Amino acid sequence: MKGKKIGIFIFVLVLTAVFFIGIQNIKISYAGAGEGLLPEQWWPSKWGADDEKGSFNLITPERVKAALKVVKTGKIYRLSIPYENGTMPLPWGRTYSLTIPGVPSGGPYGKNGIVWNDEFIVGQLGQVGTQYDGLGHIGYKDKNGVFRWYNGRALAEESGANSQGLKKNGVEKQGPCITRGVLIDAAGLKGVKAMQAGELITLKDLETCIKKAGIAPIQEGDAVLFNTGWIEYWSDHKKFNGGCPGVSIEVMKYLAKKNVSIVGADTWPALDPVPGEDPDVTFPAHCYMECVNGIGQLQNLDLRQLAKDRVYEFLFIFVPVPFVGATGSPSDTIAIQ
Amino acid sequence: MKGKKIGIFIFVLVLTAVFFIGIQNIKISYAGAGEGLLPEQWWPSKWGADDEKGSFNLITPERVKAALKVVKTGKIYRLSIPYENGTMPLPWGRTYSLTIPGVPSGGPYGKNGIVWNDEFIVGQLGQVGTQYDGLGHIGYKDKNGVFRWYNGRALAEESGANSQGLKKNGVEKQGPCITRGVLIDAAGLKGVKAMQAGELITLKDLETCIKKAGIAPIQEGDAVLFNTGWIEYWSDHKKFNGGCPGVSIEVMKYLAKKNVSIVGADTWPALDPVPGEDPDVTFPAHCYMECVNGIGQLQNLDLRQLAKDRVYEFLFIFVPVPFVGATGSPSDTIAIQ
Amino acid sequence: MKGKKIGIFIFVLVLTAVFFIGIQNIKISYAGAGEGLLPEQWWPSKWGADDEKGSFNLITPERVKAALKVVKTGKIYRLSIPYENGTMPLPWGRTYSLTIPGVPSGGPYGKNGIVWNDEFIVGQLGQVGTQYDGLGHIGYKDKNGVFRWYNGRALAEESGANSQGLKKNGVEKQGPCITRGVLIDAAGLKGVKAMQAGELITLKDLETCIKKAGIAPIQEGDAVLFNTGWIEYWSDHKKFNGGCPGVSIEVMKYLAKKNVSIVGADTWPALDPVPGEDPDVTFPAHCYMECVNGIGQLQNLDLRQLAKDRVYEFLFIFVPVPFVGATGSPSDTIAIQ
Amino acid sequence: MKGKKIGIFIFVLVLTAVFFIGIQNIKISYAGAGEGLLPEQWWPSKWGADDEKGSFNLITPERVKAALKVVKTGKIYRLSIPYENGTMPLPWGRTYSLTIPGVPSGGPYGKNGIVWNDEFIVGQLGQVGTQYDGLGHIGYKDKNGVFRWYNGRALAEESGANSQGLKKNGVEKQGPCITRGVLIDAAGLKGVKAMQAGELITLKDLETCIKKAGIAPIQEGDAVLFNTGWIEYWSDHKKFNGGCPGVSIEVMKYLAKKNVSIVGADTWPALDPVPGEDPDVTFPAHCYMECVNGIGQLQNLDLRQLAKDRVYEFLFIFVPVPFVGATGSPSDTIAIQ
């Protein structure tokens, strides 16, 4: 028992020392472009210490009303790639399967002989195909080596006793994102069908795209989608998953500073190029946008039709499926011209 | 071989006879209210013999633009009940499970120590919780005793060799439904928290609701949602699944005649009351709306907040998840005031 | 109503005609090696019209006792390939996934801080990896074009209203198979590491193997396993699934005549070579052994160690997992020397 | 940087202090019956620091041969309850579902018109129904508050980067358990159909059962199964999951000391009574048998027929399905008289 007391004493001593020395001095040091991007403490969030909604707080009634005014023709563009049994590139050993039990799955009943079919779907549904990374998906190491998510939530706070869904930052907390959408047609700017793996969209590229499009600059609450052309390789799973273009770290900072509500692209990691700009930092946009700034990312969008029709500004509608405790969501993302 | 020839001869004979006698005379006969509701041949559909989109054909750019004008405040109402592990009433032995593999599911990588969580979801996802019955869900017996779905598709045409998704009438063919929404607050009209199981909303009820709401009558392309209050029993699975109120057969006919684009309610079978109006016909609204008229149904909506705030007319947004070959879809259904 | 009566009259006329002409004359005709193998009516089974156990009826207490006497050293050989996430060759778009929810999946509880992990497994578990084809797996067309399974069960009899498991011929009806096992080392006989795709093991090959092994001939109730060496290609999914060696139709007939209790091999279709001996008949051993004779097949066994150690006779133990209504089963198949 | 150095210095200081004071003094203290049962360090295991097989190391060729000699009649008893869709009591929110995709799932092919059915199974398969707790299932807190499993493996060593199966202690490492089986018919001894929840089987009960059975005492390597009668409540999920009888802590110690190879019972936690003997220790048998002694437990066995037929000694066969990285396994457990 005596040993225990001494242990506790020393533990308190260390805590006090750490407090006075100032833990903020213990930095994650990167030599490269990622330097200074990722803070060692990123909470409380700008939306408050209890927030689980992140940038979707920007989706106010006023912003919704303003976004509706963008509509010119009423034409709907579907930006998701349909979820198909066995044909989607599945990274990290993920799974997707849809089967129809029975055929018919139920019936017949009554004199009318009613029958029905159901579909049995399995997989990491928020993380396969066209999908949205919510605020419970990405975490990174804080100054004490603890893995933390948006608003500083550690694993124990995120997940419950038997892990049947996240307790915090579940995607059902965020709700729909209905706002003005902007297409940055980087592939179009560069005059290519698809950019190269690791190729960067710079801030200058972004500004040139906006200018050429003749639309208002990026505003607070916007949905900003990047067309890199990488979706051309969708059917070539090895090529598609093997790398991709993305945005520069400068652009990540710009988008966060502008307070956009959501970002998206036609690649599997959205903003992050692979290989990345800084070899020391893995998926910086994931950490910086999602954890630090509470801005989710839409991945594997198909933006070709929008680009082809030169629709650079639109009403953007993304409605996550409210799976309680999910880290992300499948959905059909919509642009209305 | 001789026997085979004679067999074929007789078969042709029968076919010819049947043709001349007129197969339309061989009727499914119901004595009750359902009489004449369900034709024995319901194809080709009004949208053509190849159609797989049904009433969503009504979602034209013009109708979308008109619907946007309904918005007054920009306030978003979420009408779906979040999909929760183990708490939803699951009829017919269906399944729903969400687990988080690993915690974290991946990582850490890089000096930043990025980690991530995924969600592994399984179940009859288009047919549990708040869900949409698409055009591949319900079939019934035709005049020859063959089970057929929307546009007359039989099982063999619907489903493929190994049933990894419907070949025809999959929900991914329909696309989003964005239109004017109308709330029929039947529970409010009757001054009850919840209507009774088997209780009917009559055409007169519907018309009174519209009148009291002070909104324009039901129009072509509208989304019509019925608040019966039944959702109050959501947590009492036995009570909830054991029956429910619904609309009269007269209302079903009225809605189909008006060419609405979608219907919905706060019960598990949407329009159909349980027990039904005609004991001989099981789920007549399912057969009549979905198979015959190509109008899908949203089930298990939570319309209480809309009713409480007296929001009777709104911009309606339902975006099915484009699971290829699925019979329905989960989603967050949205009303914008 | 008059038309209906005439229709019924003609229908009865046809039925009568068909009866007298004799439907048994309408044969499935094959020109090749498969001719005469598959009867157009294969029921009632030799085990009676109600039987769902097939050749496992041979696993009597006497046979079990006799089989135990075969054991010499007590050394156990494990013949199944462990089921591994993402590495097994999955034919026909099948799925296999194992994840660990939570980590830990539950706890901690009590002063001892107990925690636990579970595993969440999904897939066509009776039909992936090393697996057993039970009597509800394979059906074929009868003389009337109706698909029927073992003991003549048609789809409607096999599957229930909402297809949550087969009603008849489920693998749980069969029970364990504990009997004398025999290894036919065909690859060893031919002096190759692996036989060729489409290459046949003839009856002479089988007899030579038995003779060289110095064991008693194949007896009623035996488990007969064929080592073709094809398992060498396990990791090369395209090669493995693209074809395989098998046994001649003559051997199929021989095994059925001998009343063996189970057969197995180190290929995905067990006895059937791909391409098959007769181009008109797809998977004849599947139809002949499983449907007609009620003899199930073990597939994707790893028999290399048995062959290497020259263990040609052994105590064979296969215990299917009693998943109610399943068509097959995963399992660790065991040989005891 | 200076602060960092001081922090490291103090950290090293604490480590040194802890080392000298002796961490072994910091004990988990229980006042009750569980006192002294659970060590704070339980590794390396008696089978060596690298072992993942635990008590199944006892299944030597000699022991297998000896066990075969126990067989008298050759009669097989199946001790597992078939896994049935929707009818099994599922504790802790676990899932089980079996559906048949398609019906048929594949085909027809060839002139023979071959078709097939598959089964799509999902769930925590090693932890639902009759199941085996392997060595990766249960962990508890060590002296430093770290959760550790058999042989001291912590979470990070157990689970891989994306948690698609345990890296250590997976059930596929253990292999089959074929040995002498012993039935302790406690319900029979007490003359009841089912013992009470929380009721204990004492060491004296165990010894009396053995004596009355007229069989040899429990020996090293035995499989020891307890019939409490609790399985009578299988269909009453609330009652069944709400508690159960079990063995006293004295019996747990006795069984571990005797070096049995496996234990089992007809309750969901096997040896552990609920409520437990010591309120401070949750599931002591789980921690003591599985973590400390590497002895797995079979749960939810149906031992009624064995008890009825007074089969107290038998050849015991349990073959886990070698799911790589699984914490347990379903299976049909077999007794041969």
Side-chain angles (χ1 to χ4, degrees):
Chain A
M1 274 320 258
K2 203 178 157 195
K4 203 170 178 180
K5 275 184 192 160
I6 296 178
I8 291 169
F9 166 74
I10 295 179
F11 183 63
V12 171
L13 190 78
V14 172
L15 277 188
T16 317
V18 165
F19 185 78
F20 279 103
I21 293 156
I23 42 177
Q24 69 283 3
N25 289 328
I26 310 169
K27 279 201 189 135
I28 308 170
S29 45
Y30 308 116
E35 198 176 0
L37 184 73
L38 299 183
E40 294 170 318
Q41 175 168 334
W42 55 90
W43 64 92
S45 83
K46 73 173 92 165
W47 303 105
D50 290 334
D51 183 66
E52 302 182 63
K53 213 170 168 178
S55 60
F56 282 23
N57 281 295
L58 294 162
I59 309 306
T60 59
E62 296 69 36
R63 195 160 271 123
V64 170
K65 277 184 74 177
L68 299 182
K69 300 220 172 78
V70 169
V71 172
K72 290 188 191 104
T73 65
K75 185 177 173 187
I76 298 174
Y77 289 80
R78 299 172 64 185
L79 310 182
S80 293
I81 300 174
Y83 304 85
E84 198 165 13
N85 223 24
T87 66
M88 302 188 294
L90 295 170
W92 316 104
R94 288 182 188 133
T95 291
Y96 177 81
S97 162
L98 183 154
T99 50
I100 308 287
V103 189
S105 306
Y109 292 108
K111 282 196 180 168
N112 47 331
I114 189 174
V115 288
W116 59 85
N117 285 328
D118 300 341
E119 60 283 297
F120 201 94
I121 302 181
V122 309
Q124 286 88 341
L125 291 187
Q127 302 297 338
V128 296
T130 303
Q131 50 83 213
Y132 171 69
D133 272 15
L135 306 183
H137 181 52
I138 291 293
Y140 72 96
K141 235 187 319 194
D142 76 359
K143 62 210 165 199
N144 299 312
V146 176
F147 299 120
R148 291 184 183 275
W149 273 251
Y150 172 69
N151 229 341
R153 271 124 199 172
L155 279 180
E157 295 161 81
E158 277 235 322
S159 64
N162 43 9
S163 276
Q164 295 173 357
L166 304 175
K167 293 290 180 209
K168 289 284 180 182
N169 295 345
V171 80
E172 82 283 3
K173 308 280 178 57
Q174 290 206 273
C177 183
I178 300 177
T179 190
R180 177 207 182 213
V182 170
L183 177 74
I184 305 299
D185 184 12
L189 177 76
K190 290 163 194 276
V192 295
K193 203 147 196 188
M195 290 169 62
Q196 303 293 314
E199 192 179 350
L200 296 181
I201 300 168
T202 64
L203 186 51
K204 191 152 177 248
D205 291 340
L206 183 149
E207 286 168 341
T208 311
C209 284
I210 294 275
K211 205 170 170 182
K212 282 184 64 181
I215 58 170
I218 288 172
Q219 301 156 15
E220 187 174 70
D222 277 358
V224 184
L225 311 183
F226 293 86
N227 183 48
T228 72
W230 194 254
I231 209 71
E232 292 286 333
Y233 304 120
W234 182 252
S235 301
D236 181 349
H237 296 185
K238 208 175 157 182
K239 169 87 177 174
F240 189 81
N241 285 337
C244 66
V247 310
S248 70
I249 286 172
E250 195 188 16
V251 170
M252 298 174 197
K253 288 180 180 171
Y254 174 85
L255 293 167
K257 201 179 154 198
K258 283 286 180 185
N259 263 337
V260 299
S261 64
I262 194 169
V263 294
D266 58 352
T267 67
W268 53 276
L271 296 196
D272 276 309
V274 175
E277 202 175 353
D278 185 333
D280 285 343
V281 197
T282 304
F283 297 127
H286 276 69
C287 297
Y288 183 66
M289 302 305 284
E290 301 183 21
C291 288
V292 179
N293 289 289
I295 300 170
Q297 297 189 90
L298 275 163
Q299 297 161 346
N300 297 330
L301 292 166
D302 188 347
L303 303 166
R304 287 176 291 192
Q305 197 61 41
L306 274 187
K308 196 179 163 201
D309 292 359
R310 298 169 183 273
V311 180
Y312 302 117
E313 187 183 41
F314 44 84
L315 171 59
F316 171 88
I317 301 177
F318 163 66
V319 189
V321 183
F323 293 125
V324 172
T327 72
S329 176
S331 175
D332 206 349
T333 304
I334 301 299
I336 306 182
Q337 187 187 28
Chain B
M1 274 317 259
K2 206 179 156 193
K4 203 171 178 179
K5 273 183 193 160
I6 296 177
I8 291 169
F9 166 73
I10 295 181
F11 182 64
V12 170
L13 191 78
V14 172
L15 277 187
T16 316
V18 164
F19 186 77
F20 280 103
I21 294 159
I23 43 176
Q24 67 283 2
N25 289 327
I26 311 170
K27 279 200 188 135
I28 309 171
S29 44
Y30 309 115
E35 198 175 0
L37 184 73
L38 300 183
E40 294 170 316
Q41 176 168 335
W42 55 90
W43 63 93
S45 83
K46 73 174 90 166
W47 304 105
D50 291 335
D51 183 66
E52 303 182 62
K53 213 172 166 176
S55 60
F56 282 23
N57 281 294
L58 293 161
I59 310 305
T60 58
E62 296 70 33
R63 196 161 270 123
V64 170
K65 275 184 75 178
L68 299 182
K69 299 220 173 78
V70 169
V71 172
K72 289 187 192 105
T73 65
K75 185 177 171 186
I76 298 174
Y77 288 80
R78 299 171 65 184
L79 309 181
S80 293
I81 300 174
Y83 305 86
E84 197 164 13
N85 223 24
T87 67
M88 301 188 294
L90 296 169
W92 316 103
R94 289 179 186 135
T95 291
Y96 177 81
S97 162
L98 182 155
T99 49
I100 308 287
V103 189
S105 306
Y109 292 108
K111 282 196 181 167
N112 47 331
I114 189 174
V115 287
W116 59 84
N117 285 328
D118 299 342
E119 61 283 297
F120 201 93
I121 302 180
V122 309
Q124 286 88 343
L125 291 187
Q127 301 297 336
V128 296
T130 303
Q131 51 82 212
Y132 171 69
D133 271 16
L135 306 182
H137 180 52
I138 292 291
Y140 73 96
K141 236 188 317 195
D142 76 0
K143 63 211 167 202
N144 299 312
V146 176
F147 298 120
R148 291 184 184 274
W149 274 250
Y150 172 69
N151 230 340
R153 272 125 198 171
L155 279 179
E157 294 161 82
E158 276 236 323
S159 62
N162 43 10
S163 275
Q164 295 172 357
L166 304 174
K167 293 293 181 208
K168 289 282 181 184
N169 295 345
V171 80
E172 83 282 4
K173 308 280 177 56
Q174 290 206 271
C177 182
I178 300 177
T179 189
R180 178 206 181 217
V182 170
L183 176 74
I184 305 299
D185 184 12
L189 177 75
K190 289 163 194 275
V192 295
K193 204 149 197 189
M195 290 169 63
Q196 302 293 314
E199 193 180 350
L200 295 182
I201 300 168
T202 64
L203 186 52
K204 189 148 179 252
D205 291 340
L206 184 149
E207 286 167 343
T208 312
C209 284
I210 295 275
K211 206 170 169 184
K212 283 184 65 181
I215 58 170
I218 289 171
Q219 301 156 17
E220 188 174 70
D222 278 357
V224 184
L225 311 183
F226 293 86
N227 183 48
T228 71
W230 194 252
I231 208 72
E232 291 287 333
Y233 304 120
W234 182 253
S235 302
D236 181 349
H237 297 185
K238 209 176 157 183
K239 169 87 177 174
F240 189 80
N241 286 337
C244 66
V247 309
S248 70
I249 287 173
E250 195 188 14
V251 170
M252 298 174 197
K253 288 180 181 172
Y254 174 85
L255 293 167
K257 201 178 154 198
K258 283 287 180 184
N259 263 338
V260 300
S261 63
I262 193 168
V263 294
D266 58 352
T267 67
W268 53 275
L271 296 195
D272 276 308
V274 176
E277 202 175 351
D278 185 333
D280 285 342
V281 197
T282 303
F283 298 127
H286 275 69
C287 297
Y288 183 66
M289 302 305 284
E290 302 183 20
C291 288
V292 179
N293 289 290
I295 299 170
Q297 297 189 90
L298 275 162
Q299 297 162 345
N300 298 329
L301 292 167
D302 187 347
L303 304 166
R304 285 177 293 193
Q305 197 59 43
L306 273 188
K308 197 179 163 199
D309 292 359
R310 299 168 182 274
V311 180
Y312 301 116
E313 187 182 40
F314 43 85
L315 170 59
F316 172 89
I317 301 176
F318 164 65
V319 189
V321 183
F323 293 126
V324 172
T327 72
S329 176
S331 174
D332 206 349
T333 304
I334 300 297
I336 305 183
Q337 186 187 28
Chain C
M1 275 317 263
K2 206 179 153 193
K4 202 171 178 177
K5 275 184 191 159
I6 296 178
I8 290 168
F9 166 75
I10 296 179
F11 183 64
V12 170
L13 191 77
V14 172
L15 276 187
T16 316
V18 165
F19 185 77
F20 280 101
I21 293 157
I23 42 176
Q24 69 283 3
N25 289 329
I26 311 169
K27 280 203 187 134
I28 309 171
S29 46
Y30 309 115
E35 198 175 0
L37 183 73
L38 300 182
E40 294 168 318
Q41 176 169 334
W42 55 91
W43 63 94
S45 82
K46 74 172 89 164
W47 305 105
D50 291 334
D51 182 66
E52 303 182 62
K53 214 171 166 178
S55 59
F56 282 24
N57 282 294
L58 293 161
I59 309 306
T60 58
E62 296 70 33
R63 197 160 270 122
V64 170
K65 275 184 75 178
L68 299 182
K69 301 221 172 79
V70 169
V71 172
K72 290 188 191 103
T73 65
K75 185 177 174 189
I76 298 174
Y77 288 81
R78 300 172 64 185
L79 309 182
S80 293
I81 300 174
Y83 305 86
E84 197 165 12
N85 223 26
T87 66
M88 301 188 293
L90 297 169
W92 316 103
R94 288 182 188 133
T95 290
Y96 178 81
S97 163
L98 182 154
T99 49
I100 308 287
V103 191
S105 306
Y109 292 107
K111 282 197 181 166
N112 47 331
I114 189 174
V115 288
W116 59 84
N117 284 329
D118 300 341
E119 60 284 296
F120 201 94
I121 302 181
V122 309
Q124 285 90 340
L125 291 188
Q127 302 297 336
V128 296
T130 303
Q131 50 82 213
Y132 171 69
D133 272 15
L135 306 183
H137 181 51
I138 291 292
Y140 71 96
K141 237 189 316 196
D142 76 1
K143 62 209 166 199
N144 299 311
V146 176
F147 299 119
R148 291 185 183 274
W149 273 251
Y150 172 69
N151 231 340
R153 271 122 199 175
L155 279 178
E157 293 160 81
E158 277 237 321
S159 64
N162 44 10
S163 276
Q164 295 172 357
L166 303 176
K167 292 290 182 210
K168 289 280 180 186
N169 295 346
V171 80
E172 83 282 4
K173 308 280 178 56
Q174 291 206 272
C177 183
I178 300 176
T179 190
R180 177 205 182 215
V182 170
L183 177 73
I184 305 299
D185 183 11
L189 177 76
K190 290 162 194 276
V192 295
K193 202 149 199 186
M195 290 170 61
Q196 303 293 315
E199 192 179 351
L200 296 182
I201 300 168
T202 64
L203 186 52
K204 191 152 178 247
D205 292 339
L206 185 150
E207 286 167 343
T208 311
C209 284
I210 294 275
K211 205 171 170 181
K212 284 184 64 181
I215 58 170
I218 289 171
Q219 302 156 15
E220 187 173 69
D222 278 357
V224 184
L225 311 183
F226 293 86
N227 182 48
T228 71
W230 193 253
I231 210 71
E232 292 286 332
Y233 305 120
W234 182 253
S235 302
D236 181 349
H237 297 185
K238 209 175 157 182
K239 169 87 176 173
F240 189 80
N241 286 336
C244 65
V247 309
S248 70
I249 286 172
E250 194 188 16
V251 170
M252 297 174 198
K253 288 179 181 171
Y254 174 84
L255 293 166
K257 201 179 154 198
K258 284 285 180 187
N259 264 338
V260 300
S261 64
I262 193 169
V263 294
D266 58 352
T267 68
W268 54 275
L271 296 196
D272 276 308
V274 175
E277 201 175 352
D278 185 334
D280 284 342
V281 196
T282 304
F283 297 127
H286 275 68
C287 297
Y288 183 66
M289 302 304 284
E290 301 183 20
C291 289
V292 179
N293 290 290
I295 300 169
Q297 296 189 90
L298 275 163
Q299 297 161 344
N300 298 327
L301 292 166
D302 187 347
L303 304 166
R304 286 177 291 192
Q305 197 60 42
L306 274 188
K308 198 181 162 200
D309 291 359
R310 299 168 182 273
V311 181
Y312 302 117
E313 187 182 41
F314 44 85
L315 170 59
F316 172 88
I317 300 177
F318 163 65
V319 189
V321 183
F323 293 127
V324 172
T327 72
S329 177
S331 176
D332 205 349
T333 303
I334 301 298
I336 306 183
Q337 187 187 27
Chain D
M1 275 319 260
K2 205 180 157 192
K4 201 172 178 177
K5 273 183 192 161
I6 295 177
I8 291 169
F9 166 74
I10 295 180
F11 183 64
V12 171
L13 190 77
V14 172
L15 277 187
T16 315
V18 165
F19 185 78
F20 279 102
I21 292 157
I23 41 175
Q24 68 283 3
N25 290 327
I26 310 169
K27 278 200 188 137
I28 309 171
S29 46
Y30 309 115
E35 199 177 357
L37 184 73
L38 301 182
E40 294 169 318
Q41 176 167 335
W42 55 90
W43 63 94
S45 83
K46 74 174 89 166
W47 305 106
D50 291 334
D51 182 66
E52 303 181 61
K53 213 172 167 176
S55 60
F56 282 23
N57 280 296
L58 293 161
I59 309 307
T60 58
E62 295 69 33
R63 196 160 271 122
V64 170
K65 275 184 75 177
L68 299 182
K69 300 220 173 79
V70 169
V71 173
K72 290 186 191 105
T73 65
K75 185 176 172 188
I76 298 174
Y77 288 80
R78 299 172 65 185
L79 309 182
S80 292
I81 300 174
Y83 305 86
E84 197 164 14
N85 223 25
T87 66
M88 301 188 294
L90 297 169
W92 317 103
R94 289 181 186 133
T95 291
Y96 177 81
S97 162
L98 181 155
T99 49
I100 308 287
V103 188
S105 306
Y109 292 107
K111 282 195 181 168
N112 47 332
I114 188 175
V115 288
W116 61 84
N117 284 330
D118 301 341
E119 60 284 294
F120 201 94
I121 302 181
V122 309
Q124 285 88 343
L125 291 187
Q127 302 297 335
V128 296
T130 303
Q131 50 83 213
Y132 171 70
D133 272 16
L135 305 183
H137 181 51
I138 291 292
Y140 72 96
K141 236 187 319 195
D142 76 0
K143 63 209 165 202
N144 299 312
V146 176
F147 299 120
R148 291 186 183 275
W149 275 250
Y150 173 70
N151 230 339
R153 271 120 197 176
L155 280 178
E157 293 161 81
E158 275 236 321
S159 63
N162 42 12
S163 276
Q164 294 171 358
L166 303 175
K167 292 292 181 210
K168 289 281 180 185
N169 295 346
V171 80
E172 83 283 3
K173 307 279 177 56
Q174 291 206 271
C177 182
I178 299 177
T179 189
R180 178 206 182 214
V182 170
L183 176 74
I184 305 299
D185 183 11
L189 177 74
K190 289 161 194 275
V192 294
K193 205 150 197 187
M195 290 169 63
Q196 303 294 314
E199 193 179 349
L200 295 181
I201 300 168
T202 64
L203 186 51
K204 189 152 179 247
D205 291 340
L206 185 149
E207 286 166 343
T208 312
C209 283
I210 295 276
K211 205 171 170 181
K212 284 183 65 179
I215 57 170
I218 289 172
Q219 302 156 14
E220 188 174 67
D222 277 357
V224 183
L225 310 184
F226 293 86
N227 183 48
T228 71
W230 193 253
I231 209 72
E232 291 287 332
Y233 304 119
W234 183 252
S235 301
D236 182 347
H237 297 185
K238 210 175 154 181
K239 169 87 177 172
F240 189 81
N241 286 337
C244 65
V247 309
S248 69
I249 286 173
E250 196 188 13
V251 170
M252 298 174 197
K253 288 180 181 170
Y254 173 85
L255 293 167
K257 201 180 153 198
K258 283 285 179 185
N259 262 339
V260 300
S261 64
I262 193 169
V263 293
D266 58 353
T267 67
W268 53 275
L271 297 196
D272 276 308
V274 175
E277 201 176 351
D278 185 333
D280 284 343
V281 196
T282 304
F283 298 127
H286 276 69
C287 296
Y288 183 65
M289 302 304 285
E290 302 184 19
C291 289
V292 179
N293 289 290
I295 300 169
Q297 296 188 90
L298 274 163
Q299 298 162 344
N300 298 328
L301 293 167
D302 188 346
L303 304 166
R304 286 175 293 192
Q305 198 59 43
L306 275 187
K308 198 180 160 197
D309 292 359
R310 299 169 183 272
V311 180
Y312 301 118
E313 187 182 39
F314 43 86
L315 170 60
F316 172 89
I317 300 177
F318 164 65
V319 189
V321 183
F323 293 127
V324 173
T327 72
S329 177
S331 175
D332 206 347
T333 304
I334 300 298
I336 305 183
Q337 187 186 28

